[in-house]
Amino acid sequence: MTSITGPQILLHSRSPSLKLKLKPSSAFLLFPNPPFSAKCTRRRAFCSINSNSKPQASTSIVPDLLHYLNHSWTQFHATAEAKRQLLAAGFHMLNENQDWDLKPGGRYFFTRNMSCLVAFAVGEKYNVGDAFHVIAAHTDSPCLKLKPKTASCKCNYSMVNVQTYGAGLWYTWFDRDLSVAGRVILRNGHNSFVHKLVKVDRPILRIPTLAIHLDRTVNQDGFKPNLETHLLPLLSIKPEDTSLESKEKNSALSSKSYHHSLLMQVLSDELNCDVDDIVNIELNVCDTQPSCLGGGNSEFIFSGRLDNLASSYCALRALIDSCESPGNLASEHAIRMVALFDNEEVGSGSIQGAGAPTMFQAMRRIVGDLANNYVGEGSFERTIRQSFLVSADMAHGVHPNFMDKHEELHRPELQKGLVIKHNANQRYATSGITSFLFKEVGKIHNLPTQDFAVRNDMGCGSTIGPILASGVGIRTVDCGIAQLSMHSIREMCGKEDIDIAYKHFKAFYQSFSSVDKMLTVDN
Protein backbone atom coordinates (compact mmCIF):
# COMPACT_ATOMS: atom_id res chain seq x y z
CA MET A 1 0.00 0.00 0.00
CA THR A 2 1.31 3.45 -0.89
CA SER A 3 2.15 5.53 2.15
CA ILE A 4 0.47 8.91 2.64
CA THR A 5 2.83 11.83 2.24
CA GLY A 6 2.42 15.58 2.06
CA PRO A 7 -0.64 17.53 3.29
CA GLN A 8 -3.45 15.40 4.62
CA ILE A 9 -7.17 15.79 5.17
CA LEU A 10 -8.40 14.63 8.57
CA LEU A 11 -11.92 13.23 8.67
CA HIS A 12 -13.88 12.31 11.78
CA SER A 13 -16.16 9.29 11.51
CA ARG A 14 -19.28 8.71 13.57
CA SER A 15 -17.13 6.73 15.94
CA PRO A 16 -15.15 9.16 18.14
CA SER A 17 -12.25 6.73 18.27
CA LEU A 18 -11.84 6.42 14.51
CA LYS A 19 -10.16 9.00 12.31
CA LEU A 20 -9.33 8.70 8.62
CA LYS A 21 -6.46 10.38 6.83
CA LEU A 22 -6.78 10.91 3.11
CA LYS A 23 -4.47 12.38 0.53
CA PRO A 24 -5.92 15.47 -1.18
CA SER A 25 -6.01 13.50 -4.45
CA SER A 26 -8.42 11.08 -2.80
CA ALA A 27 -10.74 13.78 -1.52
CA PHE A 28 -12.99 13.61 -4.57
CA LEU A 29 -14.50 10.45 -3.12
CA LEU A 30 -16.03 12.46 -0.31
CA PHE A 31 -16.02 16.02 -1.64
CA PRO A 32 -16.72 15.92 -5.38
CA ASN A 33 -17.02 19.72 -5.61
CA PRO A 34 -14.15 21.89 -4.31
CA PRO A 35 -14.62 25.48 -3.03
CA PHE A 36 -16.04 27.93 -5.53
CA SER A 37 -12.79 29.84 -5.61
CA ALA A 38 -10.92 26.84 -7.03
CA LYS A 39 -9.81 27.06 -10.63
CA CYS A 40 -11.59 25.07 -13.33
CA THR A 41 -8.65 22.70 -13.73
CA ARG A 42 -8.67 21.93 -10.03
CA ARG A 43 -12.43 21.31 -10.08
CA ARG A 44 -11.98 18.84 -12.94
CA ALA A 45 -9.28 17.05 -10.97
CA PHE A 46 -11.69 16.54 -8.09
CA CYS A 47 -14.37 15.13 -10.38
CA SER A 48 -12.25 12.76 -12.42
CA ILE A 49 -9.56 10.17 -11.96
CA ASN A 50 -5.98 11.00 -12.89
CA SER A 51 -5.32 8.81 -15.93
CA ASN A 52 -1.61 8.62 -15.10
CA SER A 53 -2.07 7.30 -11.58
CA LYS A 54 -2.47 3.63 -10.79
CA PRO A 55 -5.77 2.59 -9.17
CA GLN A 56 -5.47 2.37 -5.40
CA ALA A 57 -6.22 -0.90 -3.67
CA SER A 58 -9.85 -0.74 -2.56
CA THR A 59 -12.83 -2.95 -1.97
CA SER A 60 -14.88 -0.65 -4.20
CA ILE A 61 -14.59 -0.46 -7.97
CA VAL A 62 -16.34 2.94 -8.12
CA PRO A 63 -13.12 5.00 -8.54
CA ASP A 64 -12.12 2.68 -11.39
CA LEU A 65 -15.56 3.06 -12.98
CA LEU A 66 -15.18 6.86 -12.91
CA HIS A 67 -11.80 6.43 -14.58
CA TYR A 68 -13.38 4.23 -17.25
CA LEU A 69 -16.26 6.64 -17.86
CA ASN A 70 -13.96 9.64 -18.18
CA HIS A 71 -11.86 7.78 -20.75
CA SER A 72 -14.86 6.43 -22.68
CA TRP A 73 -16.56 9.35 -24.38
CA THR A 74 -17.54 7.15 -27.33
CA GLN A 75 -18.15 3.47 -28.05
CA PHE A 76 -14.72 3.38 -29.70
CA HIS A 77 -12.95 4.73 -26.64
CA ALA A 78 -14.90 2.38 -24.35
CA THR A 79 -13.73 -0.60 -26.41
CA ALA A 80 -10.15 0.67 -26.55
CA GLU A 81 -10.07 1.12 -22.76
CA ALA A 82 -11.51 -2.37 -22.27
CA LYS A 83 -8.84 -3.71 -24.61
CA ARG A 84 -6.12 -1.95 -22.60
CA GLN A 85 -7.37 -3.39 -19.32
CA LEU A 86 -7.65 -6.92 -20.74
CA LEU A 87 -4.10 -6.82 -22.08
CA ALA A 88 -2.85 -5.54 -18.72
CA ALA A 89 -4.64 -8.47 -17.04
CA GLY A 90 -2.88 -11.03 -19.23
CA PHE A 91 -5.56 -11.71 -21.84
CA HIS A 92 -4.31 -12.49 -25.34
CA MET A 93 -5.76 -10.62 -28.31
CA LEU A 94 -7.15 -12.70 -31.17
CA ASN A 95 -7.89 -11.72 -34.75
CA GLU A 96 -11.15 -12.91 -36.33
CA ASN A 97 -9.36 -13.16 -39.68
CA GLN A 98 -6.72 -15.60 -38.43
CA ASP A 99 -6.62 -19.14 -37.00
CA TRP A 100 -7.05 -19.47 -33.27
CA ASP A 101 -5.00 -21.75 -31.02
CA LEU A 102 -6.89 -21.98 -27.74
CA LYS A 103 -6.08 -23.97 -24.63
CA PRO A 104 -7.87 -24.75 -21.35
CA GLY A 105 -6.88 -22.13 -18.78
CA GLY A 106 -6.28 -19.54 -21.51
CA ARG A 107 -7.73 -16.01 -21.55
CA TYR A 108 -8.51 -14.32 -24.86
CA PHE A 109 -10.44 -11.51 -26.55
CA PHE A 110 -11.07 -9.87 -29.90
CA THR A 111 -12.65 -6.63 -31.11
CA ARG A 112 -14.86 -5.88 -34.09
CA ASN A 113 -15.05 -2.38 -35.56
CA MET A 114 -13.30 -1.18 -32.38
CA SER A 115 -16.78 -0.75 -30.91
CA CYS A 116 -17.64 -4.39 -30.12
CA LEU A 117 -15.58 -6.72 -27.92
CA VAL A 118 -15.78 -10.38 -26.91
CA ALA A 119 -13.51 -11.70 -24.14
CA PHE A 120 -13.42 -15.17 -22.59
CA ALA A 121 -11.51 -17.41 -20.19
CA VAL A 122 -11.47 -21.18 -20.63
CA GLY A 123 -11.78 -23.35 -17.52
CA GLU A 124 -8.86 -25.72 -17.04
CA LYS A 125 -11.26 -28.66 -16.73
CA TYR A 126 -13.20 -27.81 -19.88
CA ASN A 127 -14.57 -30.74 -21.89
CA VAL A 128 -16.35 -30.58 -25.23
CA GLY A 129 -20.00 -29.74 -24.62
CA ASP A 130 -19.41 -27.78 -21.41
CA ALA A 131 -21.23 -24.47 -20.95
CA PHE A 132 -20.54 -20.82 -21.66
CA HIS A 133 -21.41 -18.40 -18.86
CA VAL A 134 -21.86 -15.03 -20.55
CA ILE A 135 -22.57 -11.46 -19.50
CA ALA A 136 -23.55 -9.20 -22.41
CA ALA A 137 -23.91 -5.41 -22.44
CA HIS A 138 -23.54 -2.56 -24.94
CA THR A 139 -21.01 0.24 -25.46
CA ASP A 140 -23.19 2.86 -27.19
CA SER A 141 -25.40 5.57 -25.72
CA PRO A 142 -27.84 8.09 -27.20
CA CYS A 143 -25.88 11.04 -28.55
CA LEU A 144 -25.49 13.49 -31.40
CA LYS A 145 -23.30 12.34 -34.29
CA LEU A 146 -21.75 14.48 -36.99
CA LYS A 147 -23.34 14.21 -40.42
CA PRO A 148 -21.14 13.33 -43.43
CA LYS A 149 -21.20 17.02 -44.38
CA THR A 150 -21.01 19.17 -41.26
CA ALA A 151 -20.13 22.66 -42.45
CA SER A 152 -23.04 25.08 -42.00
CA CYS A 153 -23.16 28.85 -41.56
CA LYS A 154 -26.00 30.99 -40.15
CA CYS A 155 -25.95 34.65 -39.15
CA ASN A 156 -22.18 34.73 -39.31
CA TYR A 157 -21.86 31.69 -37.02
CA SER A 158 -20.00 28.55 -38.02
CA MET A 159 -22.37 25.68 -37.16
CA VAL A 160 -21.93 21.90 -37.18
CA ASN A 161 -24.57 19.65 -38.76
CA VAL A 162 -25.49 16.72 -36.51
CA GLN A 163 -27.91 13.81 -36.52
CA THR A 164 -29.63 12.24 -33.53
CA TYR A 165 -28.58 8.73 -32.51
CA GLY A 166 -30.99 6.70 -30.42
CA ALA A 167 -33.84 7.99 -28.26
CA GLY A 168 -32.13 10.73 -26.31
CA LEU A 169 -33.63 13.42 -24.12
CA TRP A 170 -32.41 16.03 -26.59
CA TYR A 171 -33.47 19.09 -24.60
CA THR A 172 -30.79 18.16 -22.05
CA TRP A 173 -28.11 18.82 -24.68
CA PHE A 174 -28.83 22.55 -24.73
CA ASP A 175 -26.53 24.92 -22.80
CA ARG A 176 -23.88 22.25 -22.19
CA ASP A 177 -20.14 22.55 -22.79
CA LEU A 178 -19.67 20.16 -25.70
CA SER A 179 -16.85 18.74 -27.75
CA VAL A 180 -16.21 15.93 -30.24
CA ALA A 181 -14.63 12.49 -30.01
CA GLY A 182 -14.54 9.36 -32.12
CA ARG A 183 -12.31 8.02 -34.83
CA VAL A 184 -10.61 9.23 -37.97
CA ILE A 185 -8.98 7.58 -40.94
CA LEU A 186 -5.52 9.01 -41.61
CA ARG A 187 -3.33 8.77 -44.68
CA ASN A 188 -0.21 6.90 -43.62
CA GLY A 189 2.16 7.01 -46.54
CA HIS A 190 1.56 5.97 -50.13
CA ASN A 191 -1.66 3.91 -50.53
CA SER A 192 -1.75 3.22 -46.79
CA PHE A 193 -4.28 4.36 -44.19
CA VAL A 194 -4.58 3.98 -40.43
CA HIS A 195 -7.49 4.11 -37.94
CA LYS A 196 -6.98 6.41 -34.93
CA LEU A 197 -9.12 7.56 -32.04
CA VAL A 198 -9.45 11.24 -31.21
CA LYS A 199 -10.90 13.09 -28.22
CA VAL A 200 -10.90 16.89 -27.99
CA ASP A 201 -10.82 17.33 -24.23
CA ARG A 202 -12.06 20.93 -24.15
CA PRO A 203 -15.40 22.58 -24.92
CA ILE A 204 -15.56 23.72 -28.54
CA LEU A 205 -19.32 23.44 -29.20
CA ARG A 206 -22.51 24.67 -27.58
CA ILE A 207 -26.25 24.58 -28.37
CA PRO A 208 -27.71 27.71 -26.75
CA THR A 209 -31.36 27.90 -25.75
CA LEU A 210 -33.58 30.77 -26.81
CA ALA A 211 -34.06 33.54 -24.22
CA ILE A 212 -37.39 33.36 -22.40
CA HIS A 213 -38.10 36.94 -23.53
CA LEU A 214 -38.39 35.59 -27.08
CA ASP A 215 -40.47 32.55 -26.09
CA ARG A 216 -42.72 33.61 -23.24
CA THR A 217 -44.83 30.44 -23.20
CA VAL A 218 -41.99 27.89 -22.99
CA ASN A 219 -42.62 27.13 -19.30
CA GLN A 220 -46.32 26.56 -19.93
CA ASP A 221 -46.20 24.82 -23.30
CA GLY A 222 -42.93 22.97 -22.84
CA PHE A 223 -39.63 23.15 -24.68
CA LYS A 224 -40.13 21.37 -27.99
CA PRO A 225 -37.11 22.00 -30.21
CA ASN A 226 -37.12 21.04 -33.87
CA LEU A 227 -34.38 18.43 -34.07
CA GLU A 228 -33.32 19.49 -37.57
CA THR A 229 -33.23 23.26 -37.23
CA HIS A 230 -32.73 23.95 -33.49
CA LEU A 231 -30.14 21.33 -32.57
CA LEU A 232 -27.10 22.62 -34.49
CA PRO A 233 -24.11 23.33 -32.21
CA LEU A 234 -22.21 26.59 -32.58
CA LEU A 235 -18.50 26.18 -33.35
CA SER A 236 -17.30 29.76 -33.77
CA ILE A 237 -18.02 33.19 -35.16
CA LYS A 238 -17.17 33.07 -38.82
CA PRO A 239 -14.15 35.29 -39.58
CA GLU A 240 -15.18 38.31 -41.61
CA ASP A 241 -13.22 38.98 -44.79
CA THR A 242 -14.53 41.57 -47.22
CA SER A 243 -12.01 41.15 -50.00
CA LEU A 244 -13.44 39.99 -53.34
CA GLU A 245 -10.64 37.47 -53.81
CA SER A 246 -11.29 35.90 -50.40
CA LYS A 247 -15.06 35.73 -51.05
CA GLU A 248 -14.49 33.92 -54.32
CA LYS A 249 -12.01 31.56 -52.67
CA ASN A 250 -14.36 30.81 -49.77
CA SER A 251 -17.24 30.26 -52.18
CA ALA A 252 -15.19 27.74 -54.13
CA LEU A 253 -14.07 25.98 -50.97
CA SER A 254 -17.57 25.78 -49.54
CA SER A 255 -18.78 23.80 -52.52
CA LYS A 256 -15.99 21.23 -52.13
CA SER A 257 -15.23 21.08 -48.43
CA TYR A 258 -17.46 18.94 -46.17
CA HIS A 259 -16.24 20.39 -42.86
CA HIS A 260 -15.19 23.74 -41.46
CA SER A 261 -11.45 24.28 -41.75
CA LEU A 262 -11.37 25.26 -38.06
CA LEU A 263 -12.86 21.91 -36.99
CA MET A 264 -10.36 20.05 -39.15
CA GLN A 265 -7.52 22.09 -37.70
CA VAL A 266 -8.64 21.25 -34.16
CA LEU A 267 -8.62 17.54 -35.06
CA SER A 268 -5.22 17.74 -36.75
CA ASP A 269 -3.77 19.47 -33.68
CA GLU A 270 -5.08 16.67 -31.44
CA LEU A 271 -3.71 13.99 -33.77
CA ASN A 272 -0.44 15.83 -34.50
CA CYS A 273 -0.92 15.41 -38.23
CA ASP A 274 -1.55 17.56 -41.29
CA VAL A 275 -5.13 18.45 -42.11
CA ASP A 276 -4.69 16.89 -45.55
CA ASP A 277 -3.86 13.54 -43.91
CA ILE A 278 -7.39 13.27 -42.49
CA VAL A 279 -9.40 11.40 -45.13
CA ASN A 280 -12.56 10.54 -43.11
CA ILE A 281 -14.09 11.17 -39.69
CA GLU A 282 -16.71 9.41 -37.54
CA LEU A 283 -17.36 11.61 -34.53
CA ASN A 284 -19.83 11.96 -31.67
CA VAL A 285 -20.72 15.17 -29.90
CA CYS A 286 -19.81 14.70 -26.23
CA ASP A 287 -20.34 16.49 -22.92
CA THR A 288 -17.04 17.61 -21.41
CA GLN A 289 -18.17 17.58 -17.77
CA PRO A 290 -16.35 14.76 -15.95
CA SER A 291 -18.07 11.86 -14.25
CA CYS A 292 -18.03 12.29 -10.48
CA LEU A 293 -19.63 11.44 -7.15
CA GLY A 294 -22.52 13.55 -5.88
CA GLY A 295 -25.23 13.74 -3.25
CA GLY A 296 -25.07 14.87 0.36
CA ASN A 297 -23.27 11.68 1.34
CA SER A 298 -21.52 11.15 -2.00
CA GLU A 299 -23.88 8.24 -2.57
CA PHE A 300 -24.61 8.96 -6.24
CA ILE A 301 -22.67 8.80 -9.47
CA PHE A 302 -23.33 11.71 -11.83
CA SER A 303 -22.23 10.97 -15.37
CA GLY A 304 -23.13 10.67 -18.99
CA ARG A 305 -23.31 7.26 -20.68
CA LEU A 306 -24.11 5.25 -17.52
CA ASP A 307 -26.52 3.49 -19.86
CA ASN A 308 -24.75 1.28 -20.58
CA LEU A 309 -21.08 1.74 -19.74
CA ALA A 310 -21.75 1.09 -16.05
CA SER A 311 -22.97 -2.42 -16.92
CA SER A 312 -20.15 -2.90 -19.41
CA TYR A 313 -17.49 -2.04 -16.87
CA CYS A 314 -18.97 -4.16 -14.06
CA ALA A 315 -19.09 -7.15 -16.44
CA LEU A 316 -15.57 -6.57 -17.74
CA ARG A 317 -14.11 -6.14 -14.28
CA ALA A 318 -15.96 -9.19 -12.97
CA LEU A 319 -14.50 -11.37 -15.73
CA ILE A 320 -10.96 -10.08 -15.17
CA ASP A 321 -11.10 -10.45 -11.40
CA SER A 322 -12.83 -13.84 -11.49
CA CYS A 323 -9.73 -15.31 -13.13
CA GLU A 324 -7.03 -12.92 -11.91
CA SER A 325 -4.86 -15.86 -10.81
CA PRO A 326 -4.50 -19.21 -12.61
CA GLY A 327 -5.98 -21.06 -9.63
CA ASN A 328 -9.37 -19.41 -10.15
CA LEU A 329 -9.82 -21.38 -13.37
CA ALA A 330 -8.29 -24.64 -12.06
CA SER A 331 -11.60 -26.29 -11.12
CA GLU A 332 -13.76 -24.58 -13.76
CA HIS A 333 -15.43 -26.63 -16.50
CA ALA A 334 -17.23 -23.71 -18.16
CA ILE A 335 -16.01 -20.89 -20.36
CA ARG A 336 -16.52 -17.44 -18.85
CA MET A 337 -17.33 -14.77 -21.41
CA VAL A 338 -18.21 -11.08 -21.67
CA ALA A 339 -19.67 -9.61 -24.88
CA LEU A 340 -19.94 -5.85 -25.39
CA PHE A 341 -21.94 -4.78 -28.45
CA ASP A 342 -22.47 -1.52 -30.31
CA ASN A 343 -25.71 -0.06 -31.76
CA GLU A 344 -28.13 -1.36 -29.11
CA GLU A 345 -29.73 2.07 -28.90
CA VAL A 346 -30.83 1.82 -32.54
CA GLY A 347 -31.92 -1.84 -32.66
CA SER A 348 -28.62 -3.79 -32.78
CA GLY A 349 -28.92 -4.37 -36.53
CA SER A 350 -25.29 -3.95 -37.57
CA ILE A 351 -22.10 -5.97 -38.03
CA GLN A 352 -20.97 -4.81 -34.57
CA GLY A 353 -24.41 -5.10 -32.94
CA ALA A 354 -26.02 -7.95 -31.01
CA GLY A 355 -28.15 -8.72 -34.06
CA ALA A 356 -25.05 -10.01 -35.87
CA PRO A 357 -23.91 -13.59 -35.09
CA THR A 358 -20.62 -12.32 -33.62
CA MET A 359 -20.88 -14.00 -30.23
CA PHE A 360 -22.27 -17.30 -31.52
CA GLN A 361 -19.68 -17.49 -34.30
CA ALA A 362 -17.04 -17.03 -31.61
CA MET A 363 -18.63 -19.75 -29.47
CA ARG A 364 -18.67 -22.18 -32.39
CA ARG A 365 -15.01 -21.43 -33.17
CA ILE A 366 -14.04 -21.88 -29.52
CA VAL A 367 -15.82 -25.23 -29.24
CA GLY A 368 -14.29 -26.41 -32.54
CA ASP A 369 -10.79 -25.31 -31.60
CA LEU A 370 -10.91 -26.97 -28.18
CA ALA A 371 -12.40 -30.23 -29.56
CA ASN A 372 -8.96 -31.67 -30.37
CA ASN A 373 -10.20 -34.13 -33.00
CA TYR A 374 -13.19 -35.07 -30.86
CA VAL A 375 -15.83 -36.81 -32.95
CA GLY A 376 -19.30 -36.67 -31.49
CA GLU A 377 -22.83 -35.60 -32.22
CA GLY A 378 -24.10 -32.08 -31.52
CA SER A 379 -21.21 -30.76 -29.45
CA PHE A 380 -22.03 -27.10 -30.12
CA GLU A 381 -25.76 -27.61 -29.66
CA ARG A 382 -25.18 -29.36 -26.32
CA THR A 383 -22.92 -26.48 -25.30
CA ILE A 384 -25.62 -23.90 -26.01
CA ARG A 385 -28.28 -25.87 -24.13
CA GLN A 386 -26.11 -25.86 -21.00
CA SER A 387 -25.05 -22.23 -21.36
CA PHE A 388 -26.48 -19.17 -19.60
CA LEU A 389 -26.54 -15.51 -20.62
CA VAL A 390 -26.91 -12.45 -18.39
CA SER A 391 -28.17 -9.49 -20.42
CA ALA A 392 -26.99 -6.48 -18.39
CA ASP A 393 -28.57 -3.12 -19.17
CA MET A 394 -29.48 -0.23 -16.90
CA ALA A 395 -32.92 -0.31 -15.25
CA HIS A 396 -35.58 2.32 -14.52
CA GLY A 397 -35.34 3.33 -10.88
CA VAL A 398 -38.50 4.79 -9.36
CA HIS A 399 -38.54 8.59 -9.63
CA PRO A 400 -39.73 10.22 -6.37
CA ASN A 401 -41.49 12.99 -8.31
CA PHE A 402 -43.18 10.57 -10.73
CA MET A 403 -43.95 7.50 -8.64
CA ASP A 404 -47.13 6.79 -10.62
CA LYS A 405 -45.03 5.90 -13.66
CA HIS A 406 -44.16 2.61 -11.92
CA GLU A 407 -46.42 -0.27 -11.02
CA GLU A 408 -46.77 0.01 -7.25
CA LEU A 409 -45.28 -3.41 -6.43
CA HIS A 410 -42.39 -3.10 -8.86
CA ARG A 411 -40.57 0.10 -8.01
CA PRO A 412 -36.80 -0.49 -8.08
CA GLU A 413 -34.84 1.79 -5.77
CA LEU A 414 -31.27 3.01 -5.95
CA GLN A 415 -28.79 1.28 -3.62
CA LYS A 416 -30.97 -1.85 -3.34
CA GLY A 417 -29.20 -4.23 -5.74
CA LEU A 418 -29.59 -5.50 -9.29
CA VAL A 419 -33.02 -5.28 -10.90
CA ILE A 420 -34.40 -8.42 -12.57
CA LYS A 421 -36.55 -7.35 -15.55
CA HIS A 422 -39.74 -9.23 -16.39
CA ASN A 423 -42.14 -8.82 -19.32
CA ALA A 424 -44.81 -11.31 -20.38
CA ASN A 425 -44.61 -10.08 -23.97
CA GLN A 426 -40.92 -11.00 -24.18
CA ARG A 427 -39.52 -7.48 -24.33
CA TYR A 428 -37.15 -8.96 -21.76
CA ALA A 429 -35.85 -12.54 -21.99
CA THR A 430 -36.23 -13.38 -18.29
CA SER A 431 -38.19 -16.53 -17.41
CA GLY A 432 -39.15 -18.05 -14.10
CA ILE A 433 -36.23 -20.48 -14.45
CA THR A 434 -33.57 -17.92 -15.35
CA SER A 435 -34.66 -15.39 -12.70
CA PHE A 436 -34.57 -18.10 -10.03
CA LEU A 437 -31.07 -19.26 -10.97
CA PHE A 438 -29.63 -15.74 -11.12
CA LYS A 439 -31.27 -14.73 -7.84
CA GLU A 440 -29.96 -17.91 -6.23
CA VAL A 441 -26.41 -16.82 -7.09
CA GLY A 442 -27.07 -13.55 -5.28
CA LYS A 443 -28.71 -15.25 -2.33
CA ILE A 444 -25.71 -17.53 -1.77
CA HIS A 445 -23.46 -14.47 -1.65
CA ASN A 446 -25.88 -12.28 0.37
CA LEU A 447 -26.47 -9.91 -2.54
CA PRO A 448 -29.90 -8.23 -2.84
CA THR A 449 -32.03 -8.21 -5.98
CA GLN A 450 -35.19 -6.38 -7.04
CA ASP A 451 -37.91 -7.03 -9.62
CA PHE A 452 -39.29 -4.76 -12.31
CA ALA A 453 -42.37 -5.12 -14.51
CA VAL A 454 -43.82 -2.24 -16.50
CA ARG A 455 -47.37 -1.00 -15.98
CA ASN A 456 -49.95 -2.58 -18.30
CA ASP A 457 -50.94 0.85 -19.62
CA MET A 458 -47.40 1.81 -20.63
CA GLY A 459 -45.03 0.65 -23.32
CA CYS A 460 -41.94 -1.35 -22.41
CA GLY A 461 -38.40 -0.88 -23.62
CA SER A 462 -36.23 -3.81 -24.62
CA THR A 463 -32.62 -4.99 -24.55
CA ILE A 464 -30.22 -7.25 -26.40
CA GLY A 465 -31.51 -10.11 -24.22
CA PRO A 466 -34.37 -11.27 -26.49
CA ILE A 467 -32.19 -10.83 -29.58
CA LEU A 468 -29.45 -13.08 -28.24
CA ALA A 469 -31.81 -15.55 -26.56
CA SER A 470 -33.77 -16.18 -29.74
CA GLY A 471 -30.69 -16.15 -31.96
CA VAL A 472 -29.52 -19.58 -30.90
CA GLY A 473 -31.71 -20.62 -27.96
CA ILE A 474 -29.58 -19.74 -24.94
CA ARG A 475 -31.13 -19.37 -21.47
CA THR A 476 -31.18 -15.67 -20.62
CA VAL A 477 -31.98 -13.33 -17.74
CA ASP A 478 -32.35 -9.57 -18.19
CA CYS A 479 -31.08 -7.45 -15.32
CA GLY A 480 -29.70 -3.99 -14.66
CA ILE A 481 -28.56 -1.33 -12.23
CA ALA A 482 -31.35 1.08 -11.23
CA GLN A 483 -30.79 4.63 -12.43
CA LEU A 484 -32.51 7.98 -12.90
CA SER A 485 -32.37 10.40 -15.86
CA MET A 486 -31.96 7.55 -18.36
CA HIS A 487 -30.99 8.82 -21.83
CA SER A 488 -30.27 12.31 -20.52
CA ILE A 489 -26.91 13.86 -21.31
CA ARG A 490 -26.27 13.56 -17.57
CA GLU A 491 -27.54 10.45 -15.74
CA MET A 492 -27.29 9.22 -12.17
CA CYS A 493 -27.19 5.95 -10.24
CA GLY A 494 -26.32 4.72 -6.75
CA LYS A 495 -22.69 4.19 -5.85
CA GLU A 496 -23.36 1.03 -3.83
CA ASP A 497 -25.25 -0.55 -6.74
CA ILE A 498 -22.07 -0.52 -8.81
CA ASP A 499 -20.25 -2.66 -6.27
CA ILE A 500 -23.27 -4.92 -5.80
CA ALA A 501 -23.51 -5.49 -9.57
CA TYR A 502 -19.79 -6.20 -9.80
CA LYS A 503 -19.97 -8.70 -6.94
CA HIS A 504 -23.07 -10.38 -8.40
CA PHE A 505 -21.45 -10.72 -11.83
CA LYS A 506 -18.25 -12.06 -10.30
CA ALA A 507 -20.25 -14.53 -8.20
CA PHE A 508 -22.09 -15.60 -11.37
CA TYR A 509 -18.79 -16.54 -13.02
CA GLN A 510 -17.49 -18.34 -9.97
CA SER A 511 -20.66 -20.03 -8.68
CA PHE A 512 -23.14 -20.60 -11.49
CA SER A 513 -21.85 -24.07 -12.40
CA SER A 514 -22.78 -25.39 -8.95
CA VAL A 515 -26.07 -23.45 -8.79
CA ASP A 516 -27.19 -24.75 -12.19
CA LYS A 517 -26.91 -28.34 -10.98
CA MET A 518 -29.53 -27.69 -8.30
CA LEU A 519 -32.43 -27.44 -10.76
CA THR A 520 -33.63 -29.98 -13.32
CA VAL A 521 -36.21 -28.92 -15.91
CA ASP A 522 -36.27 -30.96 -19.13
CA ASN A 523 -34.74 -34.28 -18.07
Side-chain angles (χ1 to χ4, degrees), residues 26 50 56-58 76 141 166-168 208 229 233 244 251 254 270 299 341 399 404 443 461-463 500 510 513 516:
S26 301
N50 185 348
Q56 299 294 313
S58 172
F76 306 118
S141 303
T229 59
L244 180 61
S251 177
S254 64
E270 289 290 329
E299 65 265 60
F341 297 100
H399 195 304
D404 59 337
K443 185 184 297 184
S462 191
T463 68
I500 293 173
Q510 295 178 328
S513 292
D516 198 22

Side-chain angles (χ1 to χ4, degrees), residues 427-488:
R427 300 294 289 171
Y428 303 128
T430 305
S431 70
I433 297 298
T434 60
S435 63
F436 165 76
L437 291 172
F438 192 65
K439 286 181 178 180
E440 196 66 19
V441 170
K443 185 184 297 184
I444 292 172
H445 293 267
N446 297 315
L447 297 169
T449 57
Q450 308 178 77
D451 291 291
F452 170 76
V454 74
R455 289 171 56 111
N456 290 329
D457 56 358
M458 293 180 63
C460 183
S462 191
T463 68
I464 59 177
I467 296 172
L468 296 172
S470 61
V472 75
I474 185 172
R475 294 176 297 168
T476 302
V477 64
D478 265 299
C479 71
I481 300 166
Q483 72 162 102
L484 299 175
S485 304
M486 185 178 287
H487 287 195
S488 170

Side-chain angles (χ1 to χ4, degrees), residues 82 85-89 91 107 315-325 328 509:
Q85 294 192 25
L86 287 165
L87 288 172
F91 282 68
R107 293 169 289 171
L316 176 74
R317 182 64 177 270
L319 175 65
I320 291 174
D321 291 354
S322 74
C323 49
E324 59 185 357
S325 63
N328 285 332
Y509 284 131

Side-chain angles (χ1 to χ4, degrees), residues 103-106 120-133 326-337 366-367 370 383 386-387 508-514 516-517:
K103 293 177 173 55
F120 58 95
V122 185
E124 292 186 26
K125 291 191 175 181
Y126 171 83
N127 293 307
V128 176
D130 285 340
F132 283 86
H133 296 158
N328 285 332
L329 293 174
S331 60
E332 180 64 86
H333 289 266
I335 297 173
R336 301 171 184 174
M337 176 179 281
I366 293 166
V367 170
L370 294 171
T383 292
Q386 296 188 76
S387 297
F508 166 72
Y509 284 131
Q510 295 178 328
S511 305
F512 188 78
S513 292
S514 58
D516 198 22
K517 295 176 181 177

